[in-house]
Amino acid sequence: MNDYRKLPSFEKRWLKDMPSDKEISTIKPTGNLYNYLYECNKNNMNNIAISVPSLKIINNNELDFITYEELFENIDKCVSVFKNIGIEKGDIVPLVMLNIPEASYCLYALNKIGAISCFIDPRMNEFCLKRDIDSVDSKVLLSITYACKKIKNITFKNNLIKVLMLSTMASSSNTLLKKVLGFQEKITGNSIPKRYMNFPELLDNEEKVLQPNDGLDETSASIVFTGGTTGTHKGVLLSNKALNTTVFEHNYLIDNISKGEKFLDILPPFIAYGLTSLHLSLCLGLETILDPVPIPNLFAKKIEKYKPSVAFGGPIHWEHFAMMTKAKDLSFLKYPVSGGEKLPESTAKKINEVLRKKNANEILDGYGATETCGVFSIKMPKNTPNTVGYPLRYNNVCIVDSDTIEEKDYNQSGEILISGPSIMECYYQKDEENDKVFITDKYGRKWFRTGDTGMINEKGELIITGRLKRIFVCGVTKVYPPELEEIIMEIEGIKKCVVTGVNDERLRTVPKVHLIKEQHCSYSNQEIETIINEQIKERVGEEAVPKYYSFDNDFLYTPSGKVDFTAMTKNDNQKILIKKRT
């Protein structure tokens, strides 16, 4: 094309279908997360900020309530606690937490200090917890008691690290429930030892004192871990500007929500879209219903019970919702949103049929990654089927030839590059990985290489046509085949290894291992399977343990001689399908 200004990334046709900046009256973000949260809610202090299910009965509704005024008071108490134990601007604090009120207190308290929060999945095994906590070299660790037994067994790189503990139900006013949980903690070895500090007790000893906001700049806010585009484990550093802008951009899509309406949030803060959804809900001034245990087959009951205007869940939650909902009318549900993984078009169609019959709006889906705060584009009901909708307002997308980085025209497939304020700062302390994913084109524009392939249609909608990266979700857990392959190749007698993801009725996708043994391998096939299962369970987690094995003579290859992962995965799934039919 002679005129580069007619290329998709310059024309940005998707903007024609969005409101202009002048039409959006919402407060624009400045400064850090805390500052944006406060500016959005300084006149909203009496409304409910956070509700937590199953704690006590109030007005025949099982919820504990925290107002915005109480939220800010608790944030300031956390600021005092963190400062008293030595947290300073620029420090990184691992938060081993589920979706509980203290997660939000700590997020904004650390942000107010100018420190960096680092949410970590408490369900991980000791090996993975140590890996992530050691990687940020922190002097303080805060965890829920669910992970206490595992943390007690870990020898951290910083042996002087201060450990703070709190119960998952620390915010509960139900004393009986707390006693039962305390008894369970003793039985399971998760009771808090004397050498650890009790976080709720520290909070109770703090007075209500307004703390200064020392983190006003737009630099680093939080670290979230991901497998990334290369499939290797690393921390993604997200800035205040990235998270604030991503939240603000939702105002161009959500236009009929009022402060005080309900938002059901089951996405945990240790995934990027979970962190974004928490910040989004609170900055909108909504009542955020936190669910620390997001069991898929209970999702429908929670929507029916709490009647949220907005509900965020993963594809597996919405699939269960469509199968299990018994509600006759869901007209209160304005924005059902699926995040964390691509929602298959066929599945979305089934879910939307249920939603329409019950007077609710259609489900919103999109495209994103941890590196984009969990979301880059959102598909609205008006968008074309089989697309992932338009990029968020201030984002840009470019389809290029992966070798020459020359931009392609509309409806031409290539590698997807993205840019915008919602893109991560970098992979934390991973210079080599950063060099792989950040590039500058001939026009001087900086882009992030997603590792996916796709195209932009004539309306400006993004279409995903394939994946250069090999990641799949087993149940609710992301599995990274290159990570498993690396572990397997350490075993003596293994010549080659490929891990594919095959369809599973219960868990959506499960790992299958293809192996080529060395000629003189001393292990039997059964012994190899046992060794692999034990290694992966210990180093990655039980959910990543392979379900199927195949001992092969050779693999499938592309014309260029590379392993054809796509063809192997397709063959595996065809075999599973044939097996079911017979």
Side-chain angles (χ1 to χ4, degrees):
M1 179 176 289
N2 294 327
D3 189 353
Y4 71 89
R5 292 170 298 182
K6 292 184 179 180
L7 289 169
S9 70
F10 286 94
E11 279 197 328
K12 301 180 182 177
R13 291 183 182 177
W14 53 86
L15 293 178
K16 296 177 183 178
D17 220 7
M18 293 184 186
S20 66
D21 287 348
K22 293 180 180 179
E23 295 176 86
I24 300 297
S25 58
T26 310
I27 297 168
K28 292 187 177 181
T30 56
N32 60 0
L33 305 186
Y34 176 86
N35 189 67
Y36 188 35
L37 175 72
Y38 178 77
E39 289 299 320
C40 289
N41 289 289
K42 60 186 178 183
N43 299 317
N44 190 40
M45 293 297 181
N46 293 327
N47 275 350
I48 297 169
I50 294 172
S51 299
V52 188
S54 304
L55 298 182
K56 73 175 183 180
I57 298 177
I58 302 178
N59 298 328
N60 297 318
N61 198 359
E62 296 177 11
L63 291 170
D64 265 341
F65 300 130
I66 299 160
T67 66
Y68 277 92
E69 183 177 9
E70 292 168 331
L71 171 63
F72 286 107
E73 288 175 356
N74 286 325
I75 290 169
D76 279 331
K77 284 185 176 183
C78 283
V79 171
S80 296
V81 169
F82 285 133
K83 284 185 174 180
N84 289 340
I85 59 176
I87 296 299
E88 301 172 316
K89 188 172 184 176
D91 286 345
I92 301 173
V93 180
L95 302 171
V96 186
M97 287 188 175
L98 295 170
N99 227 359
I100 57 175
E102 288 79 9
S104 58
Y105 305 161
C106 292
L107 168 67
Y108 294 110
L110 292 170
N111 193 252
K112 197 172 185 181
I113 294 171
I116 300 167
S117 58
C118 177
F119 285 100
I120 293 173
D121 186 350
R123 302 169 303 172
M124 292 195 301
N125 60 31
E126 292 172 20
F127 179 91
C128 297
L129 285 170
K130 175 177 169 57
R131 175 196 61 197
D132 289 355
I133 294 167
D134 279 350
S135 71
V136 296
D137 197 24
S138 178
K139 55 190 176 186
V140 173
L141 160 67
L142 176 57
S143 173
I144 57 173
T145 49
Y146 178 87
C148 187
K149 182 179 179 181
K150 292 179 282 191
I151 288 173
K152 283 189 287 188
N153 293 331
I154 297 172
T155 301
F156 293 108
K157 183 171 66 175
N158 176 7
N159 58 10
L160 298 177
I161 191 169
K162 297 176 183 177
V163 179
L164 287 74
M165 282 281 165
L166 76 153
S167 167
T168 309
M169 295 297 182
S171 293
S172 172
S173 59
N174 189 325
T175 54
L176 178 60
L177 182 62
K178 284 185 175 181
K179 287 181 180 179
V180 171
L181 185 63
F183 180 69
Q184 289 178 338
E185 288 169 353
K186 286 183 180 179
I187 294 174
T188 57
N190 282 316
S191 56
I192 304 174
K194 291 182 179 179
R195 69 179 185 272
Y196 292 167
M197 289 179 278
N198 189 306
F199 189 65
E201 289 180 3
L202 295 176
L203 286 180
D204 290 341
N205 292 331
E206 292 295 336
E207 296 181 359
K208 298 177 183 178
V209 178
L210 181 64
Q211 297 289 337
N213 186 3
D214 296 323
L216 282 173
D217 57 282
E218 295 184 345
T219 53
S220 306
S222 194
I223 291 175
V224 182
F225 287 96
T226 180
T229 56
T230 62
T232 56
H233 193 78
K234 45 195 172 285
V236 171
L237 192 58
L238 300 174
S239 68
N240 284 289
K241 184 177 182 180
L243 287 161
N244 278 341
T245 304
T246 302
V247 164
F248 177 74
E249 287 174 310
H250 281 72
N251 289 292
Y252 292 88
L253 307 169
I254 300 175
D255 58 1
N256 62 338
I257 292 287
S258 302
K259 291 183 185 298
E261 293 189 51
K262 293 178 180 178
F263 184 116
L264 178 59
D265 185 12
I266 70 166
L267 301 177
F270 49 78
I271 66 171
Y273 206 29
L275 189 62
T276 297
S277 65
L278 175 65
H279 190 43
L280 169 65
S281 178
L282 293 173
C283 287
L284 288 174
L286 304 181
E287 176 185 338
T288 306
I289 303 172
L290 297 179
D291 187 356
V293 188
I295 301 171
N297 59 12
L298 295 179
F299 188 52
K301 287 184 178 180
K302 289 173 181 176
I303 288 178
E304 293 162 10
K305 183 174 186 177
Y306 301 120
K307 295 180 170 51
S309 300
V310 186
F312 274 40
I316 193 168
H317 296 94
W318 288 109
E319 286 179 28
H320 277 79
F321 166 83
M323 292 187 293
M324 302 181 72
T325 183
K326 297 178 181 179
K328 294 181 179 179
D329 180 64
L330 293 169
S331 56
F332 55 82
L333 189 55
K334 299 177 182 178
Y335 292 99
V337 181
S338 178
E341 180 198 1
K342 178 71 179 75
L343 183 67
E345 195 71 33
S346 58
T347 305
K349 186 177 180 181
K350 293 175 184 176
I351 295 168
N352 283 329
E353 286 175 1
V354 173
L355 291 170
R356 282 193 295 268
K357 286 179 182 177
K358 299 178 185 295
N359 305 312
N361 288 335
E362 292 186 3
I363 196 163
L364 306 186
D365 186 29
Y367 172 71
T370 304
E371 295 89 343
T372 65
C373 299
V375 57
F376 175 81
S377 69
I378 295 181
K379 180 184 177 183
M380 305 293 285
K382 64 184 177 182
N383 285 124
T384 308
N386 295 309
T387 73
V388 292
Y390 299 132
L392 294 179
R393 175 76 185 186
Y394 301 117
N395 288 342
N396 198 1
V397 60
C398 183
I399 309 299
V400 301
D401 182 293
S402 58
D403 294 322
T404 65
I405 315 299
E406 287 291 326
E407 183 167 2
K408 292 178 173 283
D409 205 350
Y410 294 99
N411 296 312
Q412 293 182 351
S413 184
E415 183 180 353
I416 301 172
L417 307 184
I418 58 179
S419 67
S422 64
I423 307 300
M424 69 171 183
E425 290 183 67
C426 63
Y427 293 124
Y428 182 68
Q429 294 187 343
K430 297 282 185 181
D431 292 342
E432 188 176 332
E433 295 291 339
N434 291 323
D435 291 341
K436 291 178 184 177
V437 296
F438 286 114
I439 61 170
T440 302
D441 67 14
K442 64 182 180 182
Y443 305 105
R445 300 178 300 173
K446 185 177 180 180
W447 297 94
F448 173 76
R449 303 186 76 157
T450 65
D452 292 330
T453 58
M455 64 178 70
I456 300 171
N457 67 17
E458 56 280 344
K459 291 176 62 178
E461 296 167 314
L462 180 60
I463 301 168
I464 309 299
T465 58
R467 296 175 72 87
L468 297 180
K469 55 185 178 181
R470 297 164 53 223
I471 299 174
F472 59 86
V473 176
C474 179
V476 295
T477 303
K478 285 188 177 180
V479 176
Y480 307 101
E483 183 181 20
L484 304 191
E485 289 162 0
E486 185 176 343
I487 292 170
I488 294 168
M489 288 304 297
E490 293 175 5
I491 300 170
E492 187 177 351
I494 302 299
K495 185 177 181 180
K496 290 183 180 180
C497 168
V498 167
V499 176
T500 61
V502 298
N503 297 332
D504 183 84
E505 290 181 354
R506 187 173 67 88
L507 297 172
R508 295 176 59 84
T509 312
V510 295
K512 177 176 180 178
V513 175
H514 290 264
L515 295 166
I516 299 176
K517 295 165 63 176
E518 295 281 3
Q519 188 174 357
H520 303 294
C521 179
S522 59
Y523 294 120
S524 68
N525 291 356
Q526 184 60 53
E527 287 173 332
I528 288 176
E529 290 183 23
T530 301
I531 294 169
I532 291 172
N533 290 348
E534 289 174 350
Q535 284 289 310
I536 291 176
K537 183 178 180 180
E538 178 186 344
R539 296 170 61 177
V540 182
E542 191 168 357
E543 53 280 348
V545 172
K547 187 173 181 179
Y548 303 103
Y549 282 86
S550 176
F551 291 84
D552 304 330
N553 294 320
D554 207 351
F555 297 150
L556 297 176
Y557 298 92
T558 64
S560 61
K562 296 179 181 179
V563 174
D564 194 337
F565 301 110
T566 302
M568 291 183 70
T569 302
K570 185 178 179 180
N571 279 3
D572 286 341
N573 282 298
Q574 285 177 342
K575 289 176 183 177
I576 293 290
L577 189 61
I578 292 169
K579 189 175 180 180
K580 285 180 182 178
R581 287 174 179 171
T582 55

